[in-house]
Amino acid sequence: MKRLIDASYDEAHTHFLKGSSYFNGDFPKYISFEPILTDVSAVLAGKTLSDFQADKPAEFSHVNYSFTANKDGRFSWRPYELIHPAIYVALVDLICTPGNWAQITARLATFENGAVVCCGSPVMSIDEETGQAAQVRNWWHAVEQRSIEYSLDYSHLIHTDVTDCYGSLYTHSIAWALHGLEEAKKKKGDKKLLGNQIDGLIQSSRYGQTNGIAQGSVLMDFVAELVLGWVDSQLTEELGAPTDFRILRYRDDYRIFANSDVRAEAILKSVSDKLRSVGMKLGVAKTVVSPNVVEGAIKPDKLAGIELQDLGTNNAKTIQKQLLRLHSFGRRFPNSGALRRLVTEFHNEIVKQTEVPDDLEVQIAIATDLGVTSPQAFPAIAGILSHLISLAKEEDKEGLWERVREKMRRVPYNGYLEIWLQRVTKPEAVGFELDSTENICQIVNGHSAALWESDWISSNDLKKALDVKKIIVSEPKAVPEVVSPEEIELFAKNAWAY
């Protein structure tokens, strides 16, 4: 694992054009956007995006494709955006020229060694591990462990994060971060200024809006880190050297250490003020003040998860009791990292079960309800359901999946869940056709569905490169009926970090 800013420009270019960088969440293995990115890159090679335009993309309202992940089974959502591949590749090409990459990485280096220790500098894997997996592993070592170490020196901890960080980022602040506020203001209309070019491409994908960047790609993580790094430098100017405090930041998550609540709260105000200047604000509901650093360093869900894990199977000898215990934990800490870890470990164990239990439908009902209350854990829960229903009689499987589907319909606006529900119902051995309205699911089913608005493109070659059929890289019906633990890569490889 190495930091992205330590990579060469061509290494960064290759990294950003990986399918796992374009969308850094988990999709079923038969879905990949890399073929489209590769073909678009070949068409754009050596040219600017304007050479392929009939109109300005900023004049079109659905250039990017948005889908949602429900966070609580009710009214809390996380929006994901798949940036239009032509604009995405144009951004990568712009950022990863030798001169531009050197300028950006040099600027990021100036933000280091200040009042804020950045623990979330984007990293890239150097083996088979995904970049997202490497990033999670980096968080564990850099943030949680160091937080506990700081208990030797500090008595108070404030833990807070930014509300809707990506959705609120003021895009003009990209130029401020890259060139400095004074120069960026002076050259506000200069289209040759690198920061303005990046800003312009991002705006062109989002209907000309200056508030917000797309969430869901390594590239936008990198852009957000540039802005947040600049905020770090502004804090250094105001607070000076950290002699009686420490600030750790992982992306938009801040931990402030001090020896009094008065000092910690004064620093929190400074953080809030600097973030406000780039359009962001701290989440009051998630701000926690702890007079015990060790206790505050580890999230409550993780502590509770450790306690639950240590109970072992002796305290819940049946699968149903183990599921009920998970369900109870999920009600207390829905969608938490600890729940994802516990569900993953349960998935690893339950696939070993070969006998058909008398209470099979009860087990399915409990697992399904856990998925409704914690949709973000659904890839692992889908694996559990796929195993349980595989044990049923052949004539009962379709009816069981139909009941699961009807239950899942109650989760509003959750395209991500439906993509994974399709994964476990699509295999030929199941024979259940998911009638989802999610466009990605429609494409998997062989139907025509649009992901990105491309009427602004004049080039037939570029339009051919954008053919959405290319995202299906293997036969969906040929996937195994049961999701193996290894198939859910991010969950399987990094569950220990939560």
Side-chain angles (χ1 to χ4, degrees):
M1 180 178 68
K2 73 175 180 180
R3 297 190 310 167
L4 192 51
I5 65 171
D6 295 328
S8 64
Y9 71 91
D10 53 342
E11 286 176 326
H13 191 273
T14 299
H15 180 67
F16 285 134
L17 290 185
K18 289 181 178 179
S20 59
S21 296
Y22 177 70
F23 178 68
N24 55 16
D26 278 329
F27 272 149
K29 297 298 183 183
Y30 50 75
I31 296 175
S32 174
F33 289 86
E34 195 161 325
I36 287 180
L37 298 176
T38 300
D39 290 351
V40 168
S41 182
V43 173
L44 294 185
K47 300 179 181 179
T48 63
L49 191 58
S50 59
D51 294 333
F52 300 86
Q53 293 178 201
D55 295 291
K56 294 180 179 180
E59 296 175 357
F60 295 78
S61 60
H62 298 290
V63 173
N64 292 347
Y65 180 69
S66 298
F67 66 102
T68 54
N70 193 295
K71 296 173 69 175
D72 63 357
R74 299 188 68 200
F75 310 119
S76 179
W77 303 287
R78 171 170 292 171
Y80 288 118
E81 269 186 62
L82 300 179
I83 303 173
H84 193 290
I87 295 176
Y88 181 89
V89 172
L91 272 166
V92 172
D93 289 349
L94 173 65
I95 288 170
C96 295
T97 63
N100 290 346
W101 185 249
Q103 181 181 354
I104 293 169
T105 54
R107 181 62 169 168
L108 281 165
T110 67
F111 300 151
E112 298 179 341
N113 303 315
V116 181
V117 177
C118 171
C119 303
S121 180
V123 296
M124 49 190 297
S125 57
I126 54 177
D127 51 26
E128 294 302 314
E129 184 178 44
T130 66
Q132 177 77 347
Q135 188 81 339
V136 173
R137 193 177 299 274
N138 185 52
W139 176 86
W140 161 253
H141 288 296
V143 180
E144 189 172 90
Q145 299 294 287
R146 191 177 297 186
S147 295
I148 296 173
E149 290 175 15
Y150 282 167
S151 68
L152 291 170
D153 306 305
Y154 301 100
S155 60
H156 287 68
L157 165 63
I158 293 181
H159 188 185
T160 189
D161 65 9
V162 178
T163 299
D164 190 22
C165 174
Y166 287 63
S168 60
L169 187 152
Y170 184 51
T171 61
H172 290 339
S173 66
I174 297 169
W176 305 349
L178 190 51
H179 307 289
L181 184 60
E182 186 175 335
E183 182 180 359
K185 290 284 189 180
K186 189 184 302 181
K187 298 182 178 179
K188 184 178 179 180
D190 186 352
K191 294 184 178 180
K192 293 183 179 180
L193 194 70
L194 177 58
N196 291 343
Q197 290 178 310
I198 296 172
D199 179 9
L201 280 170
I202 291 173
Q203 284 187 53
S204 71
S205 71
R206 308 189 83 243
Y207 209 17
Q209 296 179 64
T210 59
N211 59 310
I213 62 175
Q215 182 169 342
S217 70
V218 171
L219 183 63
M220 289 299 102
D221 291 345
F222 185 74
V223 170
E225 189 56 42
L226 177 64
V227 173
L228 289 167
W230 182 69
V231 171
D232 292 347
S233 71
Q234 301 304 295
L235 284 166
T236 298
E237 287 186 14
E238 180 169 309
L239 299 173
T243 55
D244 64 340
F245 70 93
R246 288 290 186 276
I247 304 174
L248 296 182
R249 179 179 63 79
Y250 176 76
R251 294 189 181 175
D252 62 344
D253 183 288
Y254 290 83
R255 298 183 180 208
I256 300 167
F257 302 82
N259 281 313
S260 73
D261 53 0
V262 174
R263 180 61 169 148
E265 288 171 11
I267 294 170
L268 178 66
K269 183 180 182 301
S270 295
V271 173
S272 178
D273 290 343
K274 299 306 178 186
L275 286 168
R276 196 179 302 113
S277 70
V278 296
M280 302 180 192
K281 62 180 180 179
L282 295 175
V284 177
K286 290 189 176 181
T287 300
V288 178
V289 182
S290 177
N292 186 290
V293 174
V294 172
E295 183 180 27
I298 304 177
K299 294 180 179 180
D301 64 281
K302 182 162 188 175
L303 288 172
I306 292 170
E307 293 172 3
L308 183 63
Q309 184 182 32
D310 289 344
L311 288 175
T313 56
N314 289 333
N315 292 276
K317 293 184 178 181
T318 67
I319 296 295
Q320 183 181 145
K321 287 181 179 178
Q322 292 171 41
L323 276 167
L324 285 170
R325 201 166 65 178
L326 277 176
H327 186 274
S328 177
F329 185 88
R331 297 293 290 177
R332 292 170 59 203
F333 303 104
N335 283 313
S336 62
L339 177 66
R340 292 165 67 185
R341 176 174 58 83
L342 292 166
V343 169
T344 299
E345 291 175 353
F346 182 74
H347 180 212
N348 290 337
E349 292 302 315
I350 200 172
V351 294
K352 301 172 185 176
Q353 174 183 286
T354 57
E355 296 182 3
V356 182
D358 294 335
D359 60 347
L360 179 62
E361 291 189 25
V362 175
Q363 293 182 25
I364 293 168
I366 298 169
T368 302
D369 198 64
L370 182 58
V372 168
T373 56
S374 292
Q376 285 189 287
F378 194 73
I381 294 169
I384 294 168
L385 287 169
S386 71
H387 174 74
L388 290 174
I389 296 180
S390 74
L391 300 175
K393 296 177 181 178
E394 290 299 322
E395 62 267 25
D396 294 337
K397 289 181 182 179
E398 184 174 347
L400 287 170
W401 278 120
E402 179 61 37
R403 292 167 71 184
V404 171
R405 172 69 181 103
E406 286 303 310
K407 175 89 171 181
M408 290 300 175
R409 285 184 190 274
R410 302 173 194 173
V411 180
Y413 305 111
N414 200 341
Y416 186 61
L417 184 152
E418 296 227 330
I419 289 167
W420 274 99
L421 186 58
Q422 184 180 52
R423 157 61 186 93
V424 290
T425 58
K426 194 67 177 176
E428 196 161 1
V430 176
F432 179 82
E433 189 77 3
L434 184 72
D435 59 338
S436 172
T437 58
E438 164 58 48
N439 284 11
I440 292 175
C441 293
Q442 291 281 314
I443 294 168
V444 172
N445 283 337
H447 303 312
S448 177
L451 295 182
W452 311 282
E453 172 60 74
S454 297
D455 284 349
W456 52 276
I457 294 175
S458 60
S459 165
N460 287 328
D461 288 340
L462 184 53
K463 287 182 177 179
K464 288 178 182 178
L466 291 164
D467 185 355
V468 295
K469 294 177 183 177
K470 296 176 184 177
I471 73 171
I472 310 304
V473 293
S474 61
E475 175 52 57
K477 288 187 177 181
V479 294
E481 178 180 3
V482 177
V483 177
S484 68
E486 294 75 23
E487 186 176 342
I488 311 167
E489 189 171 16
L490 185 57
F491 281 81
K493 286 189 174 182
N494 298 281
W496 62 271
Y498 292 109

